[in-house]
Amino acid sequence: MAQTFKQIQKQIEQLQKQAEALRNTEVKGVIERIKVAIAHYGLTAAHLGLESRASTSKRTRATGSKGANARAAFADGDGNAWSGRGPRPRWLRDALASGRSLAEFRAGVSAASAAPAQAVGATKPAKPARKLKRAPSKVTYRDDAGHSWTGRGPKPGWLKAELDAGKSLQDFLR
């Protein structure tokens, strides 16, 4: 028997309600898993890219034209950050006054593994020394086919083959 337009509309409404109920159930499960992951990894709104524009623009104005040089050295996980320059912000002063240590707020360090705080403005660790360039080799071994070897590193295949054939290194010194 053919259905009327109204009957089909009712079925659509019922199916939409069922779909919405299923979606809500699935969303609750997803949200629970996300909350567990956030708690496990200690993620913040900034990590997830959910920081509001107002707090971002406030921070940009506060750092002025320093921009890339004024990275957040201290943060509280609630979106408050301080580069370590200038006077300490109120949120940090209040936290320190309540007995917390500066090391707890150091960016990239969890509160449980916070190391003893270094003085703000302390010198940075020295960069590793650059690798010095070698002086050019004083000898070069060459064959008639255009192969060459400086005497540094392992012997190349062409030279090994020639040495196995009875020649000496002196034969290739040019």
Side-chain angles (χ1 to χ4, degrees):
M1 179 185 313
Q3 293 181 333
T4 65
F5 178 75
K6 283 193 170 202
Q7 290 172 332
I8 292 176
Q9 285 295 95
K10 271 189 174 180
Q11 285 178 340
I12 290 172
E13 286 177 23
Q14 289 173 346
L15 289 173
Q16 284 178 336
K17 287 179 184 178
Q18 288 177 350
E20 188 64 27
L22 286 174
R23 182 183 181 285
N24 288 340
T25 304
E26 289 178 10
V27 166
K28 286 179 185 176
V30 169
I31 290 172
E32 246 342 279
R33 290 192 303 273
I34 291 171
K35 285 180 180 179
V36 169
I38 287 172
H40 178 74
Y41 293 104
L43 300 175
T44 64
H47 289 123
L48 300 174
L50 302 174
E51 202 170 62
S52 70
R53 292 183 191 268
S55 65
T56 304
S57 62
K58 185 189 308 179
R59 189 173 305 127
T60 303
R61 276 194 310 266
T63 58
S65 63
K66 304 283 186 205
N69 294 336
R71 293 191 186 117
F74 302 92
D76 66 352
D78 293 331
N80 295 318
W82 177 52
S83 68
R85 296 183 189 163
R88 289 181 178 161
R90 181 170 302 280
W91 64 266
L92 184 57
R93 286 183 297 190
D94 293 343
L96 293 174
S98 69
R100 295 182 69 184
S101 72
L102 190 60
E104 293 177 44
F105 298 103
R106 191 166 296 280
V109 177
S110 65
S113 66
Q118 294 178 347
V120 175
T123 58
K124 293 180 181 177
K127 291 182 181 178
R130 286 189 176 194
K131 193 173 186 178
L132 298 176
K133 291 188 177 183
R134 278 188 190 179
S137 177
K138 293 181 181 177
V139 295
T140 302
Y141 301 95
R142 298 179 194 271
D143 70 352
D144 295 331
H147 299 110
S148 65
W149 178 56
T150 62
R152 294 183 175 152
K155 292 177 184 154
W158 66 268
L159 183 59
K160 285 182 184 178
E162 294 289 338
L163 293 175
D164 290 343
K167 292 192 176 183
S168 71
L169 278 178
Q170 295 301 322
D171 296 336
F172 299 101
L173 193 57
R174 313 252 166 152

mmCIF file of all heavy atoms in Angstrom, residues 2-51:
data_model
loop_
_atom_site.group_PDB
_atom_site.id
_atom_site.type_symbol
_atom_site.label_atom_id
_atom_site.label_comp_id
_atom_site.label_asym_id
_atom_site.label_seq_id
_atom_site.Cartn_x
_atom_site.Cartn_y
_atom_site.Cartn_z
ATOM 1 N N ALA A 2 0.593 2.220 -0.779
ATOM 2 C CA ALA A 2 1.379 3.439 -0.906
ATOM 3 C C ALA A 2 1.215 4.311 0.339
ATOM 4 O O ALA A 2 0.139 4.409 0.903
ATOM 5 C CB ALA A 2 0.932 4.209 -2.143
ATOM 6 N N GLN A 3 2.297 4.918 0.729
ATOM 7 C CA GLN A 3 2.260 5.794 1.900
ATOM 8 C C GLN A 3 1.986 7.221 1.465
ATOM 9 O O GLN A 3 2.358 7.636 0.375
ATOM 10 C CB GLN A 3 3.602 5.745 2.636
ATOM 11 C CG GLN A 3 3.891 4.402 3.260
ATOM 12 C CD GLN A 3 5.219 4.418 4.006
ATOM 13 O OE1 GLN A 3 6.094 5.174 3.681
ATOM 14 N NE2 GLN A 3 5.320 3.563 5.004
ATOM 15 N N THR A 4 1.377 7.950 2.380
ATOM 16 C CA THR A 4 1.101 9.357 2.082
ATOM 17 C C THR A 4 2.316 10.202 2.449
ATOM 18 O O THR A 4 3.235 9.753 3.147
ATOM 19 C CB THR A 4 -0.108 9.858 2.881
ATOM 20 O OG1 THR A 4 0.224 9.825 4.250
ATOM 21 C CG2 THR A 4 -1.352 9.017 2.588
ATOM 22 N N PHE A 5 2.285 11.408 1.957
ATOM 23 C CA PHE A 5 3.374 12.344 2.242
ATOM 24 C C PHE A 5 3.543 12.551 3.742
ATOM 25 O O PHE A 5 4.649 12.565 4.257
ATOM 26 C CB PHE A 5 3.087 13.675 1.521
ATOM 27 C CG PHE A 5 4.126 14.727 1.772
ATOM 28 C CD1 PHE A 5 5.369 14.660 1.147
ATOM 29 C CD2 PHE A 5 3.877 15.784 2.633
ATOM 30 C CE1 PHE A 5 6.321 15.625 1.373
ATOM 31 C CE2 PHE A 5 4.828 16.746 2.867
ATOM 32 C CZ PHE A 5 6.057 16.679 2.239
ATOM 33 N N LYS A 6 2.462 12.704 4.487
ATOM 34 C CA LYS A 6 2.512 12.930 5.935
ATOM 35 C C LYS A 6 3.127 11.743 6.656
ATOM 36 O O LYS A 6 3.889 11.906 7.606
ATOM 37 C CB LYS A 6 1.119 13.215 6.490
ATOM 38 C CG LYS A 6 0.633 14.599 6.225
ATOM 39 C CD LYS A 6 -0.582 14.893 7.066
ATOM 40 C CE LYS A 6 -0.885 16.369 6.943
ATOM 41 N NZ LYS A 6 -1.668 16.849 8.032
ATOM 42 N N GLN A 7 2.810 10.532 6.229
ATOM 43 C CA GLN A 7 3.359 9.340 6.865
ATOM 44 C C GLN A 7 4.883 9.290 6.681
ATOM 45 O O GLN A 7 5.628 8.964 7.617
ATOM 46 C CB GLN A 7 2.714 8.075 6.286
ATOM 47 C CG GLN A 7 1.268 7.895 6.681
ATOM 48 C CD GLN A 7 0.603 6.745 5.931
ATOM 49 O OE1 GLN A 7 0.977 6.407 4.811
ATOM 50 N NE2 GLN A 7 -0.413 6.147 6.569
ATOM 51 N N ILE A 8 5.333 9.596 5.508
ATOM 52 C CA ILE A 8 6.778 9.599 5.239
ATOM 53 C C ILE A 8 7.463 10.694 6.059
ATOM 54 O O ILE A 8 8.547 10.484 6.611
ATOM 55 C CB ILE A 8 7.039 9.759 3.728
ATOM 56 C CG1 ILE A 8 6.565 8.497 2.992
ATOM 57 C CG2 ILE A 8 8.513 10.009 3.460
ATOM 58 C CD1 ILE A 8 6.686 8.570 1.494
ATOM 59 N N GLN A 9 6.842 11.867 6.160
ATOM 60 C CA GLN A 9 7.400 12.962 6.967
ATOM 61 C C GLN A 9 7.545 12.527 8.427
ATOM 62 O O GLN A 9 8.537 12.843 9.071
ATOM 63 C CB GLN A 9 6.522 14.214 6.869
ATOM 64 C CG GLN A 9 6.633 14.960 5.565
ATOM 65 C CD GLN A 9 8.001 15.544 5.345
ATOM 66 O OE1 GLN A 9 8.834 14.921 4.696
ATOM 67 N NE2 GLN A 9 8.235 16.719 5.880
ATOM 68 N N LYS A 10 6.532 11.797 8.973
ATOM 69 C CA LYS A 10 6.593 11.307 10.353
ATOM 70 C C LYS A 10 7.751 10.336 10.520
ATOM 71 O O LYS A 10 8.484 10.381 11.510
ATOM 72 C CB LYS A 10 5.277 10.614 10.742
ATOM 73 C CG LYS A 10 4.245 11.500 11.320
ATOM 74 C CD LYS A 10 3.100 10.664 11.851
ATOM 75 C CE LYS A 10 2.108 11.543 12.573
ATOM 76 N NZ LYS A 10 0.984 10.769 13.110
ATOM 77 N N GLN A 11 7.911 9.446 9.544
ATOM 78 C CA GLN A 11 9.010 8.485 9.610
ATOM 79 C C GLN A 11 10.360 9.214 9.599
ATOM 80 O O GLN A 11 11.279 8.853 10.320
ATOM 81 C CB GLN A 11 8.941 7.505 8.444
ATOM 82 C CG GLN A 11 7.857 6.463 8.576
ATOM 83 C CD GLN A 11 7.806 5.530 7.368
ATOM 84 O OE1 GLN A 11 8.311 5.849 6.287
ATOM 85 N NE2 GLN A 11 7.172 4.382 7.569
ATOM 86 N N ILE A 12 10.467 10.232 8.761
ATOM 87 C CA ILE A 12 11.706 11.015 8.682
ATOM 88 C C ILE A 12 11.990 11.667 10.023
ATOM 89 O O ILE A 12 13.125 11.639 10.517
ATOM 90 C CB ILE A 12 11.629 12.064 7.543
ATOM 91 C CG1 ILE A 12 11.660 11.367 6.183
ATOM 92 C CG2 ILE A 12 12.755 13.078 7.658
ATOM 93 C CD1 ILE A 12 11.407 12.288 4.994
ATOM 94 N N GLU A 13 10.983 12.258 10.650
ATOM 95 C CA GLU A 13 11.161 12.899 11.953
ATOM 96 C C GLU A 13 11.603 11.891 13.003
ATOM 97 O O GLU A 13 12.503 12.169 13.801
ATOM 98 C CB GLU A 13 9.852 13.577 12.390
ATOM 99 C CG GLU A 13 9.543 14.846 11.634
ATOM 100 C CD GLU A 13 8.197 15.458 12.051
ATOM 101 O OE1 GLU A 13 7.735 15.166 13.169
ATOM 102 O OE2 GLU A 13 7.646 16.221 11.243
ATOM 103 N N GLN A 14 10.981 10.691 13.005
ATOM 104 C CA GLN A 14 11.361 9.666 13.968
ATOM 105 C C GLN A 14 12.799 9.220 13.747
ATOM 106 O O GLN A 14 13.571 9.062 14.693
ATOM 107 C CB GLN A 14 10.414 8.463 13.863
ATOM 108 C CG GLN A 14 9.025 8.717 14.388
ATOM 109 C CD GLN A 14 8.077 7.549 14.109
ATOM 110 O OE1 GLN A 14 8.389 6.667 13.316
ATOM 111 N NE2 GLN A 14 6.917 7.580 14.769
ATOM 112 N N LEU A 15 13.176 9.017 12.496
ATOM 113 C CA LEU A 15 14.546 8.603 12.184
ATOM 114 C C LEU A 15 15.559 9.686 12.560
ATOM 115 O O LEU A 15 16.652 9.395 13.039
ATOM 116 C CB LEU A 15 14.673 8.239 10.701
ATOM 117 C CG LEU A 15 13.974 6.947 10.274
ATOM 118 C CD1 LEU A 15 14.035 6.791 8.759
ATOM 119 C CD2 LEU A 15 14.591 5.741 10.960
ATOM 120 N N GLN A 16 15.179 10.949 12.349
ATOM 121 C CA GLN A 16 16.071 12.039 12.729
ATOM 122 C C GLN A 16 16.263 12.078 14.244
ATOM 123 O O GLN A 16 17.367 12.309 14.729
ATOM 124 C CB GLN A 16 15.542 13.376 12.207
ATOM 125 C CG GLN A 16 15.765 13.555 10.717
ATOM 126 C CD GLN A 16 15.198 14.863 10.195
ATOM 127 O OE1 GLN A 16 14.282 15.433 10.789
ATOM 128 N NE2 GLN A 16 15.740 15.320 9.062
ATOM 129 N N LYS A 17 15.204 11.837 15.001
ATOM 130 C CA LYS A 17 15.317 11.801 16.464
ATOM 131 C C LYS A 17 16.204 10.649 16.904
ATOM 132 O O LYS A 17 17.040 10.797 17.795
ATOM 133 C CB LYS A 17 13.922 11.681 17.099
ATOM 134 C CG LYS A 17 13.108 12.941 17.034
ATOM 135 C CD LYS A 17 11.738 12.746 17.650
ATOM 136 C CE LYS A 17 10.872 13.996 17.505
ATOM 137 N NZ LYS A 17 9.520 13.806 18.044
ATOM 138 N N GLN A 18 16.031 9.475 16.267
ATOM 139 C CA GLN A 18 16.882 8.330 16.595
ATOM 140 C C GLN A 18 18.341 8.625 16.262
ATOM 141 O O GLN A 18 19.251 8.299 17.024
ATOM 142 C CB GLN A 18 16.417 7.086 15.830
ATOM 143 C CG GLN A 18 15.131 6.482 16.321
ATOM 144 C CD GLN A 18 14.697 5.298 15.453
ATOM 145 O OE1 GLN A 18 15.250 5.049 14.385
ATOM 146 N NE2 GLN A 18 13.679 4.586 15.934
ATOM 147 N N ALA A 19 18.563 9.237 15.102
ATOM 148 C CA ALA A 19 19.927 9.565 14.684
ATOM 149 C C ALA A 19 20.564 10.547 15.663
ATOM 150 O O ALA A 19 21.733 10.403 16.040
ATOM 151 C CB ALA A 19 19.921 10.144 13.273
ATOM 152 N N GLU A 20 19.800 11.537 16.093
ATOM 153 C CA GLU A 20 20.319 12.531 17.044
ATOM 154 C C GLU A 20 20.651 11.879 18.379
ATOM 155 O O GLU A 20 21.671 12.182 18.999
ATOM 156 C CB GLU A 20 19.298 13.660 17.226
ATOM 157 C CG GLU A 20 19.808 14.828 18.040
ATOM 158 C CD GLU A 20 20.966 15.556 17.382
ATOM 159 O OE1 GLU A 20 21.081 15.531 16.147
ATOM 160 O OE2 GLU A 20 21.772 16.144 18.136
ATOM 161 N N ALA A 21 19.802 10.950 18.834
ATOM 162 C CA ALA A 21 20.057 10.246 20.092
ATOM 163 C C ALA A 21 21.334 9.407 19.992
ATOM 164 O O ALA A 21 22.167 9.411 20.901
ATOM 165 C CB ALA A 21 18.862 9.374 20.465
ATOM 166 N N LEU A 22 21.508 8.700 18.871
ATOM 167 C CA LEU A 22 22.724 7.911 18.665
ATOM 168 C C LEU A 22 23.959 8.799 18.604
ATOM 169 O O LEU A 22 25.000 8.486 19.177
ATOM 170 C CB LEU A 22 22.606 7.090 17.373
ATOM 171 C CG LEU A 22 21.693 5.878 17.428
ATOM 172 C CD1 LEU A 22 21.551 5.255 16.042
ATOM 173 C CD2 LEU A 22 22.248 4.847 18.399
ATOM 174 N N ARG A 23 23.824 9.919 17.918
ATOM 175 C CA ARG A 23 24.949 10.849 17.810
ATOM 176 C C ARG A 23 25.348 11.359 19.186
ATOM 177 O O ARG A 23 26.536 11.424 19.523
ATOM 178 C CB ARG A 23 24.587 12.016 16.897
ATOM 179 C CG ARG A 23 25.715 13.005 16.691
ATOM 180 C CD ARG A 23 25.279 14.180 15.825
ATOM 181 N NE ARG A 23 26.344 15.105 15.595
ATOM 182 C CZ ARG A 23 26.810 15.978 16.488
ATOM 183 N NH1 ARG A 23 26.287 16.035 17.685
ATOM 184 N NH2 ARG A 23 27.807 16.790 16.191
ATOM 185 N N ASN A 24 24.371 11.752 19.996
ATOM 186 C CA ASN A 24 24.653 12.258 21.335
ATOM 187 C C ASN A 24 25.366 11.213 22.189
ATOM 188 O O ASN A 24 26.293 11.531 22.928
ATOM 189 C CB ASN A 24 23.362 12.715 22.026
ATOM 190 C CG ASN A 24 22.821 14.003 21.420
ATOM 191 O OD1 ASN A 24 23.539 14.746 20.771
ATOM 192 N ND2 ASN A 24 21.537 14.247 21.627
ATOM 193 N N THR A 25 24.940 9.948 22.067
ATOM 194 C CA THR A 25 25.583 8.866 22.804
ATOM 195 C C THR A 25 27.038 8.715 22.359
ATOM 196 O O THR A 25 27.939 8.589 23.184
ATOM 197 C CB THR A 25 24.825 7.537 22.574
ATOM 198 O OG1 THR A 25 23.469 7.723 22.946
ATOM 199 C CG2 THR A 25 25.431 6.419 23.384
ATOM 200 N N GLU A 26 27.272 8.731 21.047
ATOM 201 C CA GLU A 26 28.632 8.605 20.527
ATOM 202 C C GLU A 26 29.492 9.793 20.937
ATOM 203 O O GLU A 26 30.660 9.635 21.286
ATOM 204 C CB GLU A 26 28.605 8.465 19.009
ATOM 205 C CG GLU A 26 28.070 7.138 18.535
ATOM 206 C CD GLU A 26 28.019 7.037 17.017
ATOM 207 O OE1 GLU A 26 28.571 7.922 16.322
ATOM 208 O OE2 GLU A 26 27.420 6.067 16.527
ATOM 209 N N VAL A 27 28.914 10.992 20.885
ATOM 210 C CA VAL A 27 29.665 12.198 21.251
ATOM 211 C C VAL A 27 30.098 12.128 22.712
ATOM 212 O O VAL A 27 31.233 12.482 23.057
ATOM 213 C CB VAL A 27 28.831 13.469 20.970
ATOM 214 C CG1 VAL A 27 29.414 14.689 21.646
ATOM 215 C CG2 VAL A 27 28.729 13.705 19.473
ATOM 216 N N LYS A 28 29.217 11.640 23.589
ATOM 217 C CA LYS A 28 29.580 11.524 25.006
ATOM 218 C C LYS A 28 30.782 10.603 25.181
ATOM 219 O O LYS A 28 31.697 10.900 25.951
ATOM 220 C CB LYS A 28 28.393 11.010 25.822
ATOM 221 C CG LYS A 28 27.315 12.037 26.034
ATOM 222 C CD LYS A 28 26.152 11.463 26.819
ATOM 223 C CE LYS A 28 25.019 12.482 26.924
ATOM 224 N NZ LYS A 28 23.841 11.944 27.597
ATOM 225 N N GLY A 29 30.806 9.506 24.451
ATOM 226 C CA GLY A 29 31.938 8.585 24.520
ATOM 227 C C GLY A 29 33.230 9.212 24.021
ATOM 228 O O GLY A 29 34.299 9.053 24.617
ATOM 229 N N VAL A 30 33.128 9.935 22.916
ATOM 230 C CA VAL A 30 34.308 10.601 22.350
ATOM 231 C C VAL A 30 34.828 11.651 23.325
ATOM 232 O O VAL A 30 36.030 11.745 23.577
ATOM 233 C CB VAL A 30 33.968 11.242 20.982
ATOM 234 C CG1 VAL A 30 35.088 12.152 20.508
ATOM 235 C CG2 VAL A 30 33.670 10.167 19.957
ATOM 236 N N ILE A 31 33.933 12.429 23.898
ATOM 237 C CA ILE A 31 34.335 13.478 24.849
ATOM 238 C C ILE A 31 35.020 12.847 26.055
ATOM 239 O O ILE A 31 36.034 13.353 26.541
ATOM 240 C CB ILE A 31 33.127 14.342 25.261
ATOM 241 C CG1 ILE A 31 32.686 15.207 24.077
ATOM 242 C CG2 ILE A 31 33.457 15.204 26.470
ATOM 243 C CD1 ILE A 31 31.396 15.962 24.305
ATOM 244 N N GLU A 32 34.514 11.731 26.538
ATOM 245 C CA GLU A 32 35.127 11.052 27.683
ATOM 246 C C GLU A 32 36.551 10.622 27.348
ATOM 247 O O GLU A 32 37.471 10.814 28.138
ATOM 248 C CB GLU A 32 34.298 9.823 28.058
ATOM 249 C CG GLU A 32 33.601 9.794 29.376
ATOM 250 C CD GLU A 32 34.056 10.758 30.440
ATOM 251 O OE1 GLU A 32 35.063 10.471 31.115
ATOM 252 O OE2 GLU A 32 33.426 11.789 30.633
ATOM 253 N N ARG A 33 36.738 10.041 26.152
ATOM 254 C CA ARG A 33 38.078 9.605 25.747
ATOM 255 C C ARG A 33 39.017 10.795 25.603
ATOM 256 O O ARG A 33 40.190 10.725 25.963
ATOM 257 C CB ARG A 33 38.005 8.811 24.447
ATOM 258 C CG ARG A 33 37.335 7.447 24.628
ATOM 259 C CD ARG A 33 37.519 6.544 23.413
ATOM 260 N NE ARG A 33 37.030 7.082 22.163
ATOM 261 C CZ ARG A 33 35.777 6.969 21.709
ATOM 262 N NH1 ARG A 33 34.874 6.332 22.424
ATOM 263 N NH2 ARG A 33 35.436 7.478 20.547
ATOM 264 N N ILE A 34 38.512 11.901 25.068
ATOM 265 C CA ILE A 34 39.339 13.099 24.922
ATOM 266 C C ILE A 34 39.739 13.632 26.289
ATOM 267 O O ILE A 34 40.896 14.004 26.510
ATOM 268 C CB ILE A 34 38.598 14.184 24.095
ATOM 269 C CG1 ILE A 34 38.472 13.728 22.640
ATOM 270 C CG2 ILE A 34 39.303 15.528 24.189
ATOM 271 C CD1 ILE A 34 37.580 14.612 21.789
ATOM 272 N N LYS A 35 38.809 13.654 27.237
ATOM 273 C CA LYS A 35 39.118 14.137 28.582
ATOM 274 C C LYS A 35 40.201 13.284 29.230
ATOM 275 O O LYS A 35 41.101 13.803 29.894
ATOM 276 C CB LYS A 35 37.863 14.149 29.453
ATOM 277 C CG LYS A 35 36.914 15.278 29.150
ATOM 278 C CD LYS A 35 35.700 15.219 30.065
ATOM 279 C CE LYS A 35 34.717 16.344 29.787
ATOM 280 N NZ LYS A 35 33.531 16.268 30.658
ATOM 281 N N VAL A 36 40.122 11.983 29.046
ATOM 282 C CA VAL A 36 41.139 11.084 29.608
ATOM 283 C C VAL A 36 42.501 11.393 28.987
ATOM 284 O O VAL A 36 43.506 11.489 29.696
ATOM 285 C CB VAL A 36 40.740 9.603 29.367
ATOM 286 C CG1 VAL A 36 41.881 8.673 29.692
ATOM 287 C CG2 VAL A 36 39.517 9.244 30.199
ATOM 288 N N ALA A 37 42.542 11.576 27.665
ATOM 289 C CA ALA A 37 43.804 11.882 26.986
ATOM 290 C C ALA A 37 44.360 13.229 27.434
ATOM 291 O O ALA A 37 45.561 13.373 27.657
ATOM 292 C CB ALA A 37 43.614 11.866 25.468
ATOM 293 N N ILE A 38 43.503 14.230 27.591
ATOM 294 C CA ILE A 38 43.946 15.555 28.041
ATOM 295 C C ILE A 38 44.535 15.458 29.437
ATOM 296 O O ILE A 38 45.603 16.016 29.710
ATOM 297 C CB ILE A 38 42.777 16.568 27.985
ATOM 298 C CG1 ILE A 38 42.466 16.927 26.537
ATOM 299 C CG2 ILE A 38 43.102 17.825 28.797
ATOM 300 C CD1 ILE A 38 41.213 17.772 26.363
ATOM 301 N N ALA A 39 43.869 14.738 30.315
ATOM 302 C CA ALA A 39 44.386 14.585 31.674
ATOM 303 C C ALA A 39 45.685 13.799 31.679
ATOM 304 O O ALA A 39 46.634 14.152 32.395
ATOM 305 C CB ALA A 39 43.343 13.884 32.545
ATOM 306 N N HIS A 40 45.767 12.756 30.868
ATOM 307 C CA HIS A 40 46.962 11.915 30.835
ATOM 308 C C HIS A 40 48.183 12.691 30.343
ATOM 309 O O HIS A 40 49.273 12.567 30.893
ATOM 310 C CB HIS A 40 46.714 10.701 29.942
ATOM 311 C CG HIS A 40 47.893 9.793 29.806
ATOM 312 N ND1 HIS A 40 48.297 8.959 30.808
ATOM 313 C CD2 HIS A 40 48.775 9.618 28.792
ATOM 314 C CE1 HIS A 40 49.365 8.294 30.420
ATOM 315 N NE2 HIS A 40 49.676 8.681 29.190
ATOM 316 N N TYR A 41 48.023 13.486 29.286
ATOM 317 C CA TYR A 41 49.146 14.204 28.697
ATOM 318 C C TYR A 41 49.294 15.632 29.214
ATOM 319 O O TYR A 41 50.216 16.334 28.833
ATOM 320 C CB TYR A 41 49.021 14.221 27.168
ATOM 321 C CG TYR A 41 49.185 12.854 26.565
ATOM 322 C CD1 TYR A 41 48.091 12.136 26.110
ATOM 323 C CD2 TYR A 41 50.437 12.261 26.462
ATOM 324 C CE1 TYR A 41 48.240 10.874 25.568
ATOM 325 C CE2 TYR A 41 50.595 11.006 25.926
ATOM 326 C CZ TYR A 41 49.490 10.311 25.483
ATOM 327 O OH TYR A 41 49.643 9.072 24.938
ATOM 328 N N GLY A 42 48.373 16.095 30.046
ATOM 329 C CA GLY A 42 48.466 17.445 30.598
ATOM 330 C C GLY A 42 48.311 18.528 29.544
ATOM 331 O O GLY A 42 48.984 19.553 29.607
ATOM 332 N N LEU A 43 47.438 18.320 28.578
ATOM 333 C CA LEU A 43 47.261 19.278 27.488
ATOM 334 C C LEU A 43 46.484 20.505 27.955
ATOM 335 O O LEU A 43 45.661 20.421 28.857
ATOM 336 C CB LEU A 43 46.511 18.618 26.328
ATOM 337 C CG LEU A 43 47.205 17.401 25.711
ATOM 338 C CD1 LEU A 43 46.309 16.764 24.662
ATOM 339 C CD2 LEU A 43 48.534 17.776 25.110
ATOM 340 N N THR A 44 46.778 21.638 27.322
ATOM 341 C CA THR A 44 46.072 22.881 27.617
ATOM 342 C C THR A 44 45.328 23.340 26.370
ATOM 343 O O THR A 44 45.511 22.786 25.284
ATOM 344 C CB THR A 44 47.062 23.990 28.023
ATOM 345 O OG1 THR A 44 47.907 24.275 26.904
ATOM 346 C CG2 THR A 44 47.899 23.584 29.226
ATOM 347 N N ALA A 45 44.528 24.385 26.530
ATOM 348 C CA ALA A 45 43.799 24.942 25.392
ATOM 349 C C ALA A 45 44.776 25.435 24.329
ATOM 350 O O ALA A 45 44.518 25.316 23.132
ATOM 351 C CB ALA A 45 42.889 26.073 25.852
ATOM 352 N N ALA A 46 45.908 25.959 24.744
ATOM 353 C CA ALA A 46 46.902 26.445 23.789
ATOM 354 C C ALA A 46 47.473 25.279 22.974
ATOM 355 O O ALA A 46 47.701 25.417 21.772
ATOM 356 C CB ALA A 46 48.027 27.168 24.520
ATOM 357 N N HIS A 47 47.714 24.125 23.615
ATOM 358 C CA HIS A 47 48.204 22.964 22.892
ATOM 359 C C HIS A 47 47.222 22.529 21.817
ATOM 360 O O HIS A 47 47.616 22.085 20.743
ATOM 361 C CB HIS A 47 48.420 21.771 23.837
ATOM 362 C CG HIS A 47 49.575 21.920 24.757
ATOM 363 N ND1 HIS A 47 49.433 21.840 26.115
ATOM 364 C CD2 HIS A 47 50.886 22.148 24.532
ATOM 365 C CE1 HIS A 47 50.596 22.007 26.676
ATOM 366 N NE2 HIS A 47 51.505 22.193 25.739
ATOM 367 N N LEU A 48 45.954 22.638 22.104
ATOM 368 C CA LEU A 48 44.921 22.182 21.183
ATOM 369 C C LEU A 48 44.514 23.253 20.175
ATOM 370 O O LEU A 48 43.675 23.022 19.321
ATOM 371 C CB LEU A 48 43.685 21.732 21.972
ATOM 372 C CG LEU A 48 43.930 20.594 22.960
ATOM 373 C CD1 LEU A 48 42.691 20.337 23.787
ATOM 374 C CD2 LEU A 48 44.366 19.340 22.237
ATOM 375 N N GLY A 49 45.095 24.438 20.278
ATOM 376 C CA GLY A 49 44.768 25.527 19.365
ATOM 377 C C GLY A 49 43.411 26.132 19.658
ATOM 378 O O GLY A 49 42.768 26.679 18.777
ATOM 379 N N LEU A 50 42.977 26.050 20.909
ATOM 380 C CA LEU A 50 41.660 26.547 21.286
ATOM 381 C C LEU A 50 41.729 27.849 22.068
ATOM 382 O O LEU A 50 40.734 28.262 22.643
ATOM 383 C CB LEU A 50 40.930 25.485 22.130
ATOM 384 C CG LEU A 50 40.755 24.136 21.461
ATOM 385 C CD1 LEU A 50 40.155 23.131 22.438
ATOM 386 C CD2 LEU A 50 39.868 24.263 20.236
ATOM 387 N N GLU A 51 42.900 28.458 22.113
ATOM 388 C CA GLU A 51 43.071 29.696 22.859
ATOM 389 C C GLU A 51 42.233 30.788 22.215
ATOM 390 O O GLU A 51 42.198 30.919 20.990
ATOM 391 C CB GLU A 51 44.545 30.084 22.839
ATOM 392 C CG GLU A 51 44.936 30.991 23.938
ATOM 393 C CD GLU A 51 46.439 31.135 23.984
ATOM 394 O OE1 GLU A 51 47.009 31.618 22.994
ATOM 395 O OE2 GLU A 51 47.015 30.779 25.005
#
